[in-house]
Amino acid sequence: MADDATTDPALRSWVPGADDSGFPIQHLPYGTFSVAGDHPRAGVAIGDQIVDLAVAARAKLFDAVLHDPVAAFRGPDLTPFLALGPAAWQRVRAELSDLLRADSTRSRPMGDALVPQADATLHLPFAVADYVDFYSSLEHATNVGRLFRPGADPLLPNWRHLPVGYHGRAGTVVVSGTPVVRPAGQAAGPEGPVFGPSRRLDIELEVGFVVGTPSLLGRPVPPAAVREHVFGAVLVNDWSARDIQAWEYQPLGPFLGKSFATSISPWVTPLAALEPSRVDARPQEPPVLPYLRVDEPWALDLHLEIGLRSAGMAAAGTPFDVISRPDFARLYWTLPQQLAHLTVNGASLRTGDLLASGTVSGDRGDEGSLLERTLGGREPLRLSDGSERTFLADGDEVVLRGSAGGGGRPRLTLAEVTGTILPTHR
Amino acid sequence: MADDATTDPALRSWVPGADDSGFPIQHLPYGTFSVAGDHPRAGVAIGDQIVDLAVAARAKLFDAVLHDPVAAFRGPDLTPFLALGPAAWQRVRAELSDLLRADSTRSRPMGDALVPQADATLHLPFAVADYVDFYSSLEHATNVGRLFRPGADPLLPNWRHLPVGYHGRAGTVVVSGTPVVRPAGQAAGPEGPVFGPSRRLDIELEVGFVVGTPSLLGRPVPPAAVREHVFGAVLVNDWSARDIQAWEYQPLGPFLGKSFATSISPWVTPLAALEPSRVDARPQEPPVLPYLRVDEPWALDLHLEIGLRSAGMAAAGTPFDVISRPDFARLYWTLPQQLAHLTVNGASLRTGDLLASGTVSGDRGDEGSLLERTLGGREPLRLSDGSERTFLADGDEVVLRGSAGGGGRPRLTLAEVTGTILPTHR
């Protein structure tokens, strides 16, 4: 099995176990971490270790590639580094590869900058500027349309012409592991609205893209400029309270049904690491308007799954039940199209803007939400502890997992997103 | 005419002309300014002057009332001061009143901190965290419902039960005076969508409230806590492209029809200055749910108007035509209700959150948008240069004006919001 990945020292790392960990030298995702209550700073994951970029910068390991590495990596989050733009991202990535490769001549100073992931607390990796949530899965939009507007055409007339999206609440984007308090709110009742904890608390599995380089107000960003502006990708759980959402969302869209929490990965996978996962997108019919035309293949072949376990399963150490494996490569609207649409009216981008795909759904059994997976609650799921779920129960823990590569290429693990449901405060 | 306002030295200022300027000692709005390209810092408007709070802090004028006045006011915006909370806001306001009153013993050091407004460039006063736009005018919601859904009940079933709202784009909130580039985008055409500059570019006159004190995730903020969290008010022009909006907004709400620009006042009027303008709100029927009940009168008696002039009128020095004078006190949903609703699901507040009222419309002739004012374009307005308007033309300049008080009380001018329409970039 002496393929390139095992013989070429540039494709392996001297960090023990890194090559097969999901965090090999081909990945190098960025995050923000702290140790023992120290202040948060920037880091890169390799194997089960973190490169403390603040320490590495002070040790002058990036002096050849950045003007002010200390400022770029001192924290409290990745924002200063993300703002530097694609040339800086590329130079730092190349330098990190050189420092971490199996035959590196600089493994000793780099070793001094390593921190075990087990000792670190991970924080929200970047300050979320604006959070835009798209609605780009044909299967998801079709499923939801059927459930909410039975008998009508499930796709609204605009859906195949533009990537429908809306703004979510940036201030309640939280890092994986943050507990989610069940939201209370109004829902429709038989004799008018009723108030109480949501009874239809749901998951939405999404992939989010993080903007690094800002753009100018009044100047659209073309699809071909995607690498100039987008730094990397995270998994996103866009928690949703379906009963609150259904009552509130007309005519201005989702608000409190979504705004209580959105969880993201602690590690941002650079877009550069996903280049080998780019594949042709599914055909779009009718053809899109010129501003949405993309020449390159920009679907991403990511393997995604949703895991769910009850409090009892967690207490017993039972693994998560995998309830869905959606196929991200089938997303109808691609990242360059979302970026071009978002800015075609002149809206500017800021460092930290988060563009989420919208719920990623596959065929029956591989939907990205419980709403779809249980057909609006009509077909409950049975968990391995024998309990049934339509929507989430208090104590339930959800995990979103994702990966790229495999099949001859190194497998990159998109950092998982977990969250446990806590009861509404009284 | 020797009423209190003219005889009590505590109610007058030694700054020449301040008492009758709209920026008297009872007002003291906060903003961010720079002089001759220097870095932006915090200031307070008094008459035609600005108190340079950075200079005043370094002169130790706030040492009796703040722990670290230099940090609070050093800029680049008001965020550090807003985050200090209501006790600090109140102490600084009292100290400023003492420094600026007609018989102040400290007028000399304060005088050294004054900068003429004419010499200053005003900047966005605070970093906008999340921007929420409500839909709280009964007249506006009714007008829009009639135009968009003719023949149906203009109010949707949820409207009288909750303050409908959605998240707008925080990154494109700009300060008054910023030109607005006409957005391009998709609109419905006879044979599918067409792309081009918006043909129905519109105004929305709103009042926005700025959050100072943050709140905790998972913990709703009750209506009675409004003064703990909300610092002050600005005027808002939520520019809207009606043709883009109409095609895109189903099912997730407005997006590109709004996200290209939102203009706000450069000066934030403290909520404390608006206390005398609090009046009883109009009755709400049916009664609201308990979490939305408000004991105090929280309608605000603000006088608002929209001015419009063409490029030709501006070149000739012709004043703005006043095209509408909406009545803010008639707003159906009040600020404490908006705040309580926004957080009832556990969503947290951040310093810099902007809560806008939604378009403020009065009776026929006093609507807060051109869409309503011209009945969807069917009844054009005639400007004083003889030209007609349904929606905005390139070169048009809009001004939003507002005031509180008058009629025996000092009149406070809410800082005006202007913007001129530039053609779409080609």
Side-chain angles (χ1 to χ4, degrees), chain A residues 285-316:
Chain A
E285 187 54 44
V288 298
L289 284 163
Y291 80 93
L292 292 170
R293 280 183 206 149
V294 176
D295 294 332
E296 294 183 286
W298 260 109
L300 286 171
D301 185 19
L302 307 180
H303 321 292
L304 305 176
E305 66 178 42
I306 303 174
L308 174 61
R309 67 178 176 188
S310 64
M313 290 164 67

Side-chain angles (χ1 to χ4, degrees), chain B residues 82 84-90 210-213 221-232 270-279 294-300 335-336 339 349:
Chain B
L82 299 188
L84 293 179
W89 308 335
Q90 196 171 9
V210 183
V211 169
T213 318
V221 174
V226 61
R227 291 181 187 82
E228 300 293 312
H229 293 280
V230 176
F231 174 74
L271 213 52
L274 297 177
E275 285 285 346
S277 300
R278 287 176 38 231
V279 294
V294 176
D295 294 331
E296 294 182 286
W298 260 109
L300 286 171
L335 172 63
L339 191 74
L349 301 172

